[in-house]
């Protein structure tokens, strides 16, 4: 079951990855850069419009009866729909100034809002299927949205109905499928005889998600501020180059998201002492070694990933990829204390930490991007994620009493990844050596997986 949940995230990531070389060649560099900035704003709007209601699904399963789950999920979907309606009214009233502020056309802004709603709905059903242990349904839904969006975007970019701009055709392609599919599965849930909308569930939901909204919004700013800062300072074309670097990093982020989503149920069982201490530590070390080793290997292959994904106009992204990959590893490290904070239902610190990290990132982007360009944006993001890990580690360890996993593992992994990042930079012109190192690491990981016969 965990394998199917991981597989759904991996396939979605691979579909996105395989389409990058296509879109980076179908679109002009400036148009491709604009699609990257559009994606950043979609993620921001998704947090605001969706109210992070999907983040409450796990808590609902832990605290409400099984008979209440369908009604709860339908209720939070109705809450997200209400939020979407209010947002659309506001967007239409302030469309012109909003378009100017976001440096996107009015049509792109509307597409972004619509896609954000669809994405939020899909997120609810992804969580529903995970906690109902319907991994195959989660896989089918995720793949259907990902594949249909990519295919429709390609078709629309080629035919450009009504002579619309290529970047708008791309945006329509990615906005329509999640919205239509999300509405279809929502209607299916609404037609269940025992599923009813209850306002009291909105109160339950918002008590959990209001702090998470701040966390989610700050998290998106943290992840995307570099790209937005590059566009503002250097224009759409340079934002396209940085988008390629983010795409390369996103492969590791997708692996992290897949593994983390599958690991959390194991972690919560371990924390609730439903398993023996030795089992808890085995789960941790299996996960930790797997992801750390994967990060080592990916650092060695980052330059080739850029070259495979894009034409030579984008290869300026190579120098910043190691910094973004290290930032992704810090994200992995911070997930352990954050997962504990969610388990303890102490989510206020989650929002505060991410907000502070986002502020650190914004300040560093403002300082470093004008002086150092792409490199400045990547370093700003990496440092902000390091701050985020240290903040949550200190909160969980010293204020919430989380001593479940050894600090030596976290800081040892950090030092090792920084060393491998430096080595990848030193060996940038020696591809064969890097490939050999990556191969040795991957073979070792594969042997270990075969020996222990489990991911966790």
């Amino acid at each position: 079951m965990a394998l199917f949940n991981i597989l759904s995230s991996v396939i979605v990531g691979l579909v996105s990855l395989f389409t990058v070389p296509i879109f980076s060649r179908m679109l002009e560099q400036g148009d491709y850069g604009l699609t990257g900035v559009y994606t950043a704003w979609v993620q921001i709007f998704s947090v605001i419009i969706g109210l992070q209601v999907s983040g409450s699904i796990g808590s609902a399963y832990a605290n409400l009866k099984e008979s209440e789950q369908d009604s709860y999920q339908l209720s939070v979907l109705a809450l997200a729909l209400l939020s979407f309606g209010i947002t659309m009214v506001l967007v239409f009233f302030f469309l012109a100034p909003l378009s100017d502020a976001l440096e996107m056309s009015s049509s792109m802004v509307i597409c972004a809002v619509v896609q954000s709603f669809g994405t939020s709905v899909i997120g609810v059903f992804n969580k529903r299927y995970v906690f109902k242990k319907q991994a195959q349904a989660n896989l089918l839904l995720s793949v259907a949205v990902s594949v249909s969006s990519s295919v429709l975007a390609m078709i629309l970019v080629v035919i450009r109905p009504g002579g619309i701009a290529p970047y708008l055709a791309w945006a329509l392609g990615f906005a329509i499928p999640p919205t239509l599919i999300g509405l279809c599965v929502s209607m299916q849930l609404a037609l269940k005889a025992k599923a009813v909308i209850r306002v009291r569930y909105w109160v339950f939901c918002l008590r959990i998600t209001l702090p998470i909204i701040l966390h989610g919004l700050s998290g998106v700013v943290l992840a995307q501020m570099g790209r937005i800062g590059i566009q503002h300072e250097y224009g759409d074309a340079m934002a396209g180059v940085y988008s390629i670097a983010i795409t390369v990093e996103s492969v590791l982020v997708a692996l992290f998201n897949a593994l983390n989503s599958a690991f959390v149920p194991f972690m919560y069982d371990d924390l609730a002492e439903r398993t023996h201490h030795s089992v808890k530590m085995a789960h941790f070390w299996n996960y930790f070694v797997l992801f750390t080793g994967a990060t080592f290997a990916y650092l060695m292959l980052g330059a080739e990933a850029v070259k495979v994904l894009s034409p030579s106009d984008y290869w300026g992204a190579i120098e910043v990829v190691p910094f973004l990959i290290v930032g992704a590893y810090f994200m992995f490290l911070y997930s352990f204390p954050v997962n504990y904070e969610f388990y303890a239902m102490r989510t206020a610190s989650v929002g505060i930490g991410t907000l502070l990290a986002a502020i650190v990132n914004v300040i560093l982007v403002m300082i470093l991007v004008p002086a150092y360009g792409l490199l400045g944006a990547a370093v700003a993001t990496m440092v902000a994620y390091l701050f985020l890990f240290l903040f949550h580690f200190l909160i969980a360890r010293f204020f919430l009493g989380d001593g479940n996993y050894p600090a030596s593992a976290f800081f040892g992994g950090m030092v090792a990844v920084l060393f491998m990042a430096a080595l990848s930079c030193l060996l940038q012109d020696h591809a064969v050596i890097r490939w050999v190192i990556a191969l040795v690491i991957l073979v070792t990981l594969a042997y270990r997986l075969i020996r222990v016969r489990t991911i966790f």
Side-chain angles (χ1 to χ4, degrees):
M1 189 171 299
L3 179 62
F4 276 105
N5 287 327
I6 294 171
L7 191 60
S8 65
S9 298
V10 170
I11 292 176
V12 169
L14 288 175
V15 170
S16 177
L17 184 66
F18 288 152
T19 58
V20 169
I22 299 173
F23 287 122
S24 65
R25 290 166 173 84
M26 290 179 71
L27 300 170
E28 296 291 333
Q29 195 174 35
D31 288 344
Y32 185 76
L34 188 57
T35 64
V37 175
Y38 167 87
T39 301
W41 286 113
V42 166
Q43 293 182 17
I44 291 173
F45 289 152
S46 295
V47 175
I48 299 171
I49 294 169
L51 299 173
Q52 293 289 81
V53 295
S54 64
S56 69
I57 300 299
S59 297
Y61 270 99
N63 294 278
L64 300 177
K65 297 177 182 178
E66 178 63 32
S67 59
E68 296 182 83
Q69 298 304 322
D70 287 348
S71 293
Y72 178 80
Q73 290 160 21
L74 184 63
S75 298
V76 298
L77 286 168
L79 180 61
L81 178 61
L82 176 62
S83 174
F84 171 66
I86 293 172
T87 303
M88 283 300 295
V89 171
L90 293 173
V91 165
F92 278 117
F93 270 110
F94 301 102
L95 187 55
L98 189 60
S99 175
D100 292 338
L102 302 186
E103 300 184 41
M104 295 193 303
S105 68
S106 298
S107 299
M108 287 278 278
V109 172
I110 294 173
C111 279
V113 173
V114 172
Q115 182 178 340
S116 299
F117 171 68
T119 300
S120 300
V121 174
I122 296 298
V124 170
F125 282 92
N126 286 143
K127 291 291 186 181
R128 169 185 170 86
Y129 295 142
V130 167
F131 282 94
K132 285 177 71 70
K133 298 182 179 179
Q134 297 176 345
Q136 292 91 336
N138 185 38
L139 174 64
L140 179 62
L141 177 65
S142 300
V143 172
V145 172
S146 179
V147 172
S148 60
S149 298
S150 298
V151 171
L152 182 59
M154 290 180 198
I155 294 172
L156 292 180
V157 169
V158 171
I159 65 175
R160 291 174 57 192
I164 61 176
Y167 57 79
L168 180 56
W170 180 93
L172 284 169
F174 278 92
I176 293 172
T179 306
L180 291 182
I181 294 174
L183 290 174
C184 287
V185 291
S186 297
M187 287 298 297
Q188 183 183 28
L189 178 61
L191 292 175
K192 284 196 170 187
K194 295 182 180 180
V196 293
I197 297 173
R198 301 188 188 278
V199 175
R200 69 182 178 89
Y201 291 141
W202 291 4
V203 177
F204 178 94
C205 174
L206 292 175
R207 282 178 56 198
I208 297 169
T209 61
L210 283 177
I212 304 176
I213 291 172
L214 179 62
H215 165 66
L217 188 58
S218 301
V220 175
V221 172
L222 177 59
Q224 301 295 342
M225 187 62 200
R227 176 153 46 189
I228 294 171
I230 290 292
Q231 184 211 24
H232 179 75
E233 191 71 27
Y234 298 100
D236 294 338
M238 191 63 74
V241 176
Y242 194 71
S243 293
I244 290 294
I246 290 180
T247 299
V248 173
E249 175 214 18
S250 71
V251 175
L252 191 64
V253 173
L255 177 64
F256 158 69
N257 287 330
L259 291 173
N260 184 61
S261 295
F263 176 72
V264 166
F266 289 92
M267 180 178 177
Y268 282 10
D269 283 344
D270 293 338
L271 295 178
E273 298 183 348
R274 298 190 183 104
T275 59
H276 191 272
H277 176 74
S278 61
V279 174
K280 178 177 75 172
M281 296 313 299
H283 288 159
F284 168 76
W285 281 114
N286 288 338
Y287 178 27
F288 189 86
V289 170
L290 176 62
F291 191 83
T292 302
T295 303
F296 289 169
Y298 200 53
L299 280 165
M300 294 296 130
L301 300 174
E304 282 65 43
V306 172
K307 293 178 180 179
V308 169
L309 291 174
S310 61
S312 58
D313 291 346
Y314 294 85
W315 290 0
I318 290 174
E319 68 170 349
V320 306
V321 164
F323 297 92
L324 293 177
I325 291 176
V326 172
Y329 186 76
F330 291 155
M331 189 189 309
F332 159 73
L333 292 181
Y334 109 92
S335 69
F336 290 97
V338 163
N339 287 339
Y340 182 83
E341 290 168 51
F342 275 106
Y343 172 78
M345 297 188 72
R346 301 287 289 273
T347 55
S349 58
V350 175
I352 293 170
T354 317
L355 174 62
L356 292 174
I359 292 172
V360 168
N361 194 25
V362 170
I363 293 172
L364 290 177
V365 164
M366 292 173 63
I367 296 171
L368 298 178
V369 166
Y372 301 102
L374 301 178
L375 189 60
V379 170
T381 301
M382 181 187 72
V383 172
Y385 277 119
L386 173 59
F387 171 88
L388 190 62
F389 162 65
L390 293 174
F391 176 88
H392 285 292
F393 174 80
L394 294 173
I395 290 292
R397 180 72 47 139
F398 297 107
F399 289 90
L400 301 181
D402 174 25
N404 289 282
Y405 304 121
S408 58
F410 298 142
F411 291 99
M414 181 191 304
V415 171
V417 165
L418 287 170
F419 172 80
M420 294 299 287
L423 183 62
S424 72
C425 292
L426 291 173
L427 297 175
Q428 185 171 316
D429 297 328
H430 303 279
V432 175
I433 298 176
R434 287 188 285 103
W435 298 345
V436 169
I437 294 173
L439 181 61
V440 169
I441 294 169
L442 293 174
V443 169
T444 303
L445 289 177
Y447 171 76
R448 190 179 189 279
L449 281 173
I450 293 170
R451 184 168 56 83
V452 300
R453 298 183 180 181
T454 181
I455 296 174
F456 303 123

